[in-house]
Amino acid sequence: MPQTTRRVAILVSIMLLLTVATQVLYIMTLKGVGIVDGWPLRSTIWTTELLLFTGIAIASLVGLVRSPAMQWGWAALVAAGLINIVQSGIGLSMFLPAAKAGPEFAPLMGTLLAGSFLFYNLSKAIIGLAALLFGLSLFRNDKTKVRVIGLISMIAGVIAIVLNIAAVRLGLGSVPFSGASGAIATLLAGCTIWLSARSAE
């Protein structure tokens, strides 16, 4: 990774890791809580994620320009960031009004959920691609420990790609562990980008 990309890479890795933290917080605090009842915290988490993914998309675009050798990896992160912006935007702008509309609008709420999760799984598949590509870059390193992390990232990326593409095809809740595999791939993508940036020092 070029020296000029190091700060951008560290920033992107931090934002990716923060998105994993927000997902963990969401599951720990809001699992089983209704849309309306949990809206203050839910909307705060989603707004935070919206800002993080906007930052990831912008910073990754800079990385794309500055690091020709990793163009595919940075491009994947740009695409994943943009798709997550759409996914978060659907939740923030549409879920509360649909939930308050009453039981007669349950099919509408189901449609919004399905559309949101389609974008969610698609973005996780693309982040899996980024984990694969940045992991491959680390795997070419001379240091054994770094190569091991790169290999783990590659494996996690492939699993996330397969499970989340299947989830896009089959629909909401149809593929177990698709979201978890995407979160793990996001974590490892952040770690591999961080290590790639540190190796540029």
Side-chain angles (χ1 to χ4, degrees), residues 1-7 9-10 67 138 141 143 192-201:
M1 183 177 293
Q3 180 72 23
T4 55
T5 318
R6 191 176 69 84
R7 290 183 180 178
I10 291 174
S67 184
L138 274 191
N141 196 288
K143 299 178 182 178
T192 54
I193 293 168
W194 177 280
L195 288 172
S196 296
R198 300 299 296 180
S199 67
E201 291 182 344

mmCIF file of all heavy atoms in Angstrom, residues 1-7 9-10 67 138 141 143 192-201:
data_model
loop_
_atom_site.group_PDB
_atom_site.id
_atom_site.type_symbol
_atom_site.label_atom_id
_atom_site.label_comp_id
_atom_site.label_asym_id
_atom_site.label_seq_id
_atom_site.Cartn_x
_atom_site.Cartn_y
_atom_site.Cartn_z
ATOM 1 N N MET A 1 0.841 -1.190 0.000
ATOM 2 C CA MET A 1 0.000 0.000 0.000
ATOM 3 C C MET A 1 0.883 1.251 0.000
ATOM 4 O O MET A 1 1.800 1.348 0.811
ATOM 5 C CB MET A 1 -0.913 -0.004 1.230
ATOM 6 C CG MET A 1 -1.873 1.168 1.281
ATOM 7 S SD MET A 1 -2.984 1.070 2.704
ATOM 8 C CE MET A 1 -3.955 -0.377 2.265
ATOM 9 N N PRO A 2 0.630 2.206 -0.902
ATOM 10 C CA PRO A 2 1.449 3.408 -0.949
ATOM 11 C C PRO A 2 1.395 4.195 0.359
ATOM 12 O O PRO A 2 0.378 4.198 1.054
ATOM 13 C CB PRO A 2 0.831 4.219 -2.096
ATOM 14 C CG PRO A 2 0.080 3.236 -2.914
ATOM 15 C CD PRO A 2 -0.385 2.184 -1.969
ATOM 16 N N GLN A 3 2.483 4.864 0.677
ATOM 17 C CA GLN A 3 2.558 5.666 1.903
ATOM 18 C C GLN A 3 1.469 6.739 1.932
ATOM 19 O O GLN A 3 0.921 7.053 2.995
ATOM 20 C CB GLN A 3 3.947 6.306 1.987
ATOM 21 C CG GLN A 3 4.177 7.169 3.216
ATOM 22 C CD GLN A 3 4.301 6.354 4.489
ATOM 23 O OE1 GLN A 3 4.640 5.188 4.429
ATOM 24 N NE2 GLN A 3 4.022 6.971 5.631
ATOM 25 N N THR A 4 1.136 7.288 0.762
ATOM 26 C CA THR A 4 0.134 8.355 0.686
ATOM 27 C C THR A 4 -1.268 7.872 1.047
ATOM 28 O O THR A 4 -2.150 8.684 1.327
ATOM 29 C CB THR A 4 0.101 8.950 -0.733
ATOM 30 O OG1 THR A 4 -0.125 7.901 -1.681
ATOM 31 C CG2 THR A 4 1.393 9.654 -1.060
ATOM 32 N N THR A 5 -1.475 6.565 1.035
ATOM 33 C CA THR A 5 -2.796 6.009 1.332
ATOM 34 C C THR A 5 -2.926 5.607 2.793
ATOM 35 O O THR A 5 -4.016 5.248 3.240
ATOM 36 C CB THR A 5 -3.055 4.776 0.438
ATOM 37 O OG1 THR A 5 -2.611 5.044 -0.887
ATOM 38 C CG2 THR A 5 -4.529 4.417 0.383
ATOM 39 N N ARG A 6 -1.837 5.643 3.558
ATOM 40 C CA ARG A 6 -1.817 5.077 4.899
ATOM 41 C C ARG A 6 -2.874 5.702 5.811
ATOM 42 O O ARG A 6 -3.632 4.996 6.474
ATOM 43 C CB ARG A 6 -0.427 5.249 5.520
ATOM 44 C CG ARG A 6 -0.229 4.477 6.804
ATOM 45 C CD ARG A 6 1.192 4.611 7.303
ATOM 46 N NE ARG A 6 1.484 5.954 7.776
ATOM 47 C CZ ARG A 6 1.188 6.392 9.007
ATOM 48 N NH1 ARG A 6 0.584 5.584 9.867
ATOM 49 N NH2 ARG A 6 1.473 7.608 9.378
ATOM 50 N N ARG A 7 -2.956 7.026 5.857
ATOM 51 C CA ARG A 7 -3.914 7.683 6.746
ATOM 52 C C ARG A 7 -5.352 7.376 6.340
ATOM 53 O O ARG A 7 -6.223 7.172 7.195
ATOM 54 C CB ARG A 7 -3.682 9.191 6.763
ATOM 55 C CG ARG A 7 -2.401 9.602 7.473
ATOM 56 C CD ARG A 7 -2.266 11.110 7.531
ATOM 57 N NE ARG A 7 -1.044 11.516 8.209
ATOM 58 C CZ ARG A 7 -0.652 12.769 8.376
ATOM 59 N NH1 ARG A 7 -1.417 13.760 7.911
ATOM 60 N NH2 ARG A 7 0.471 13.044 9.007
ATOM 61 N N ALA A 9 -6.345 4.664 4.819
ATOM 62 C CA ALA A 9 -6.593 3.262 5.161
ATOM 63 C C ALA A 9 -6.889 3.102 6.652
ATOM 64 O O ALA A 9 -7.799 2.354 7.035
ATOM 65 C CB ALA A 9 -5.394 2.410 4.764
ATOM 66 N N ILE A 10 -6.142 3.797 7.493
ATOM 67 C CA ILE A 10 -6.376 3.714 8.935
ATOM 68 C C ILE A 10 -7.762 4.265 9.279
ATOM 69 O O ILE A 10 -8.502 3.688 10.092
ATOM 70 C CB ILE A 10 -5.272 4.460 9.707
ATOM 71 C CG1 ILE A 10 -3.937 3.703 9.577
ATOM 72 C CG2 ILE A 10 -5.650 4.633 11.174
ATOM 73 C CD1 ILE A 10 -2.750 4.425 10.176
ATOM 74 N N SER A 67 -4.290 4.332 -4.603
ATOM 75 C CA SER A 67 -3.682 3.005 -4.481
ATOM 76 C C SER A 67 -4.092 2.114 -5.643
ATOM 77 O O SER A 67 -4.969 1.254 -5.508
ATOM 78 C CB SER A 67 -4.093 2.373 -3.148
ATOM 79 O OG SER A 67 -3.459 1.138 -2.952
ATOM 80 N N LEU A 138 -2.462 -9.145 2.084
ATOM 81 C CA LEU A 138 -1.669 -9.481 3.269
ATOM 82 C C LEU A 138 -1.016 -10.851 3.141
ATOM 83 O O LEU A 138 0.087 -11.072 3.637
ATOM 84 C CB LEU A 138 -2.555 -9.468 4.517
ATOM 85 C CG LEU A 138 -2.787 -8.160 5.249
ATOM 86 C CD1 LEU A 138 -3.455 -8.429 6.584
ATOM 87 C CD2 LEU A 138 -1.504 -7.378 5.456
ATOM 88 N N ASN A 141 2.440 -11.109 2.043
ATOM 89 C CA ASN A 141 3.473 -10.537 2.900
ATOM 90 C C ASN A 141 4.491 -11.591 3.314
ATOM 91 O O ASN A 141 4.203 -12.789 3.301
ATOM 92 C CB ASN A 141 2.811 -9.930 4.148
ATOM 93 C CG ASN A 141 3.727 -8.984 4.886
ATOM 94 O OD1 ASN A 141 4.677 -9.408 5.521
ATOM 95 N ND2 ASN A 141 3.436 -7.687 4.793
ATOM 96 N N LYS A 143 5.843 -11.858 6.369
ATOM 97 C CA LYS A 143 5.691 -12.242 7.770
ATOM 98 C C LYS A 143 4.602 -13.305 7.928
ATOM 99 O O LYS A 143 3.489 -13.145 7.428
ATOM 100 C CB LYS A 143 5.366 -11.022 8.614
ATOM 101 C CG LYS A 143 6.453 -9.952 8.587
ATOM 102 C CD LYS A 143 6.048 -8.740 9.402
ATOM 103 C CE LYS A 143 7.112 -7.655 9.348
ATOM 104 N NZ LYS A 143 6.717 -6.442 10.098
ATOM 105 N N THR A 192 -7.357 -6.152 8.242
ATOM 106 C CA THR A 192 -6.385 -6.312 7.156
ATOM 107 C C THR A 192 -5.986 -4.963 6.560
ATOM 108 O O THR A 192 -4.820 -4.751 6.218
ATOM 109 C CB THR A 192 -6.939 -7.225 6.037
ATOM 110 O OG1 THR A 192 -8.204 -6.719 5.595
ATOM 111 C CG2 THR A 192 -7.115 -8.648 6.527
ATOM 112 N N ILE A 193 -6.949 -4.056 6.453
ATOM 113 C CA ILE A 193 -6.629 -2.722 5.943
ATOM 114 C C ILE A 193 -5.709 -1.998 6.927
ATOM 115 O O ILE A 193 -4.753 -1.328 6.524
ATOM 116 C CB ILE A 193 -7.920 -1.912 5.691
ATOM 117 C CG1 ILE A 193 -8.717 -2.539 4.554
ATOM 118 C CG2 ILE A 193 -7.592 -0.460 5.354
ATOM 119 C CD1 ILE A 193 -10.122 -1.997 4.403
ATOM 120 N N TRP A 194 -5.971 -2.145 8.205
ATOM 121 C CA TRP A 194 -5.121 -1.531 9.237
ATOM 122 C C TRP A 194 -3.701 -2.073 9.129
ATOM 123 O O TRP A 194 -2.722 -1.309 9.127
ATOM 124 C CB TRP A 194 -5.701 -1.831 10.609
ATOM 125 C CG TRP A 194 -4.866 -1.316 11.748
ATOM 126 C CD1 TRP A 194 -3.741 -1.889 12.277
ATOM 127 C CD2 TRP A 194 -5.043 -0.092 12.469
ATOM 128 N NE1 TRP A 194 -3.238 -1.118 13.291
ATOM 129 C CE2 TRP A 194 -4.005 -0.008 13.433
ATOM 130 C CE3 TRP A 194 -5.984 0.929 12.418
ATOM 131 C CZ2 TRP A 194 -3.904 1.054 14.324
ATOM 132 C CZ3 TRP A 194 -5.874 1.987 13.299
ATOM 133 C CH2 TRP A 194 -4.846 2.039 14.230
ATOM 134 N N LEU A 195 -3.550 -3.395 9.039
ATOM 135 C CA LEU A 195 -2.220 -4.005 8.962
ATOM 136 C C LEU A 195 -1.513 -3.622 7.670
ATOM 137 O O LEU A 195 -0.289 -3.422 7.653
ATOM 138 C CB LEU A 195 -2.341 -5.527 9.066
ATOM 139 C CG LEU A 195 -2.716 -6.058 10.457
ATOM 140 C CD1 LEU A 195 -3.005 -7.552 10.396
ATOM 141 C CD2 LEU A 195 -1.619 -5.772 11.467
ATOM 142 N N SER A 196 -2.278 -3.514 6.577
ATOM 143 C CA SER A 196 -1.669 -3.081 5.310
ATOM 144 C C SER A 196 -1.140 -1.664 5.419
ATOM 145 O O SER A 196 -0.085 -1.334 4.908
ATOM 146 C CB SER A 196 -2.706 -3.165 4.177
ATOM 147 O OG SER A 196 -3.119 -4.493 3.959
ATOM 148 N N ALA A 197 -1.905 -0.822 6.137
ATOM 149 C CA ALA A 197 -1.478 0.563 6.325
ATOM 150 C C ALA A 197 -0.241 0.630 7.214
ATOM 151 O O ALA A 197 0.693 1.399 6.942
ATOM 152 C CB ALA A 197 -2.610 1.382 6.947
ATOM 153 N N ARG A 198 -0.198 -0.175 8.277
ATOM 154 C CA ARG A 198 0.961 -0.166 9.161
ATOM 155 C C ARG A 198 2.218 -0.656 8.440
ATOM 156 O O ARG A 198 3.313 -0.164 8.694
ATOM 157 C CB ARG A 198 0.691 -1.067 10.374
ATOM 158 C CG ARG A 198 -0.488 -0.659 11.213
ATOM 159 C CD ARG A 198 -0.355 0.715 11.813
ATOM 160 N NE ARG A 198 0.754 0.798 12.754
ATOM 161 C CZ ARG A 198 1.098 1.895 13.416
ATOM 162 N NH1 ARG A 198 0.448 3.014 13.196
ATOM 163 N NH2 ARG A 198 2.115 1.879 14.259
ATOM 164 N N SER A 199 2.055 -1.599 7.531
ATOM 165 C CA SER A 199 3.213 -2.115 6.794
ATOM 166 C C SER A 199 3.773 -1.089 5.817
ATOM 167 O O SER A 199 4.888 -1.220 5.340
ATOM 168 C CB SER A 199 2.831 -3.391 6.037
ATOM 169 O OG SER A 199 1.904 -3.113 5.011
ATOM 170 N N ALA A 200 2.982 -0.048 5.536
ATOM 171 C CA ALA A 200 3.440 1.004 4.612
ATOM 172 C C ALA A 200 4.306 2.029 5.315
ATOM 173 O O ALA A 200 4.874 2.913 4.679
ATOM 174 C CB ALA A 200 2.234 1.694 3.973
ATOM 175 N N GLU A 201 4.406 1.938 6.648
ATOM 176 C CA GLU A 201 5.199 2.937 7.388
ATOM 177 C C GLU A 201 6.694 2.760 7.131
ATOM 178 O O GLU A 201 7.165 1.651 6.943
ATOM 179 C CB GLU A 201 4.905 2.791 8.902
ATOM 180 C CG GLU A 201 3.499 3.224 9.265
ATOM 181 C CD GLU A 201 3.260 3.111 10.770
ATOM 182 O OE1 GLU A 201 4.045 2.433 11.452
ATOM 183 O OE2 GLU A 201 2.294 3.719 11.229
#
